[in-house]
Amino acid sequence: MRPERPMSEAWHLQAHALAEALKAEGRIDPGAFSSALSTALTQMPDDDAGYWTAYLATLERLTAPVPGLDPATVATRKAAWEDAYRRTPHGRPVTLEA
Amino acid sequence: MHDGPDPTDAAAVHRHLHSHLPSDPALRVKALESLAVEKGLVAQETLDAWIRLYDEEVGPKRGAHVVARAWTEPAFHARLLTDAAAAVREMGCHGHATGHLKAVENTATVHNLVVCTLCSCYPFALLGMSPVWYRSNAYRARAVREPRAVLAEFGVTLPEDCGVRIWDSTAELRYLVVPQRPAGTEGWDADRLAALVTRDSMIGTQRDLGPV
């Protein structure tokens, strides 16, 4: 089979690290994560992009019941980061503080 | 030298200024991560340590050192096959998806192959990130159904009298294949031997290691 880069985008690594840390802290159940990922993978193309799309969807699904990580809060925070990136000039650190 | 947009094109300037906006999934991860840290669900230091571990340190070299030590220290070899999780903890590899680990050893008549039919469970702390093919539907389905054909695609042709054992990883139990020590390495120390041990050999998609 072909050689490959195990992580083709930085967010793959960040998502993986977050998932493993949340499992280690008992915030999400490893077995439930595996099961949900298995289901999500059946709905994605069988390639690297499909895998990580399924992985992130699984992470979001498993964290949704965690207090503070509900979808509405996460969506608000995502919008805040997007605003921060848009208003921050190149070369400056992007922070949520205005 | 100027590599930015034509400054007279306002739309191009706008696009250039925003060109460092991360992708949608990257922003979703960033949102989750920042909230998880802020709420005290995970420590930023823990996340940083994970990322450093995968990005810079692990690869498969930790697993390779475990295998090489097993080849050179009979007592460690016995401990590894009896209780792999405890054995790898001796070497400082613990916590990261090796809490429940089983080592399975190749012999002249047995070849071991690891898969996760459910998703992509893998001993990250020993082998680094899993390869793309390990996570593919094709490998996950075919490794169990037609292991010899899959092995052949990796260039492994097993003798007729060599059986194949398939180990299906789960979130609770992961596997490390201990490949056979190559002939011609008598007298080599563990560091030199570790350099011969590949990631694929510890998954089971490679059988014969160098130098002979």
Side-chain angles (χ1 to χ4, degrees), chain B residues 12-187:
Chain B
V13 170
H14 187 80
R15 281 196 302 275
H16 182 65
L17 286 173
H18 296 168
S19 62
H20 67 315
L21 184 68
S23 65
D24 179 74
L27 284 168
R28 285 156 61 195
V29 173
K30 196 163 184 64
L32 264 180
E33 181 190 89
S34 60
L35 284 167
V37 170
E38 196 175 291
K39 306 289 180 190
L41 301 173
V42 294
Q44 186 65 56
E45 295 75 23
T46 304
L47 291 173
D48 292 345
W50 272 101
I51 289 170
R52 195 165 52 248
L53 180 76
Y54 292 130
D55 207 30
E56 299 171 8
E57 293 179 25
V58 179
K61 65 186 177 186
R62 284 189 174 187
H65 281 282
V66 169
V67 168
R69 186 173 172 193
W71 284 344
T72 53
E73 289 183 35
F76 179 78
H77 174 265
R79 291 198 298 279
L80 182 67
L81 293 182
T82 304
D83 184 348
V88 301
R89 273 199 298 274
E90 290 176 30
M91 298 181 70
C93 309
H94 52 81
H96 308 311
T98 55
H100 299 282
L101 179 73
K102 181 177 177 62
V104 292
E105 187 174 38
N106 286 349
T107 67
T109 55
V110 172
H111 182 81
N112 295 284
L113 181 65
V114 179
V115 64
C116 172
T117 57
L118 190 61
C119 55
S120 53
C121 300
Y122 190 75
F124 303 107
L126 295 177
L127 303 187
M129 269 309 297
S130 56
V132 172
W133 53 260
Y134 184 86
R135 304 189 293 259
S136 71
N137 290 338
Y139 178 77
R140 288 160 44 222
R142 294 180 59 226
V144 174
R145 202 172 57 229
E146 44 180 353
R148 286 177 187 269
V150 169
L151 286 169
E153 289 171 25
F154 281 92
V156 177
T157 305
L158 296 176
E160 286 286 316
D161 61 348
C162 183
V164 185
R165 287 185 185 156
I166 312 298
W167 302 91
D168 192 359
S169 302
T170 67
E172 289 79 34
L173 181 59
R174 294 151 201 244
Y175 299 92
L176 173 74
V177 175
V178 180
Q180 289 178 287
R181 180 172 174 165
T185 60
E186 295 76 13

Side-chain angles (χ1 to χ4, degrees), chain A residues 7 38 46 51 60 77-78, chain B residues 24 28 118 120 129 137:
Chain A
M7 300 270 190
S38 178
D46 189 17
Y51 177 84
E60 289 174 327
R77 176 57 59 92
K78 175 175 173 279
Chain B
D24 179 74
R28 285 156 61 195
L118 190 61
S120 53
M129 269 309 297
N137 290 338

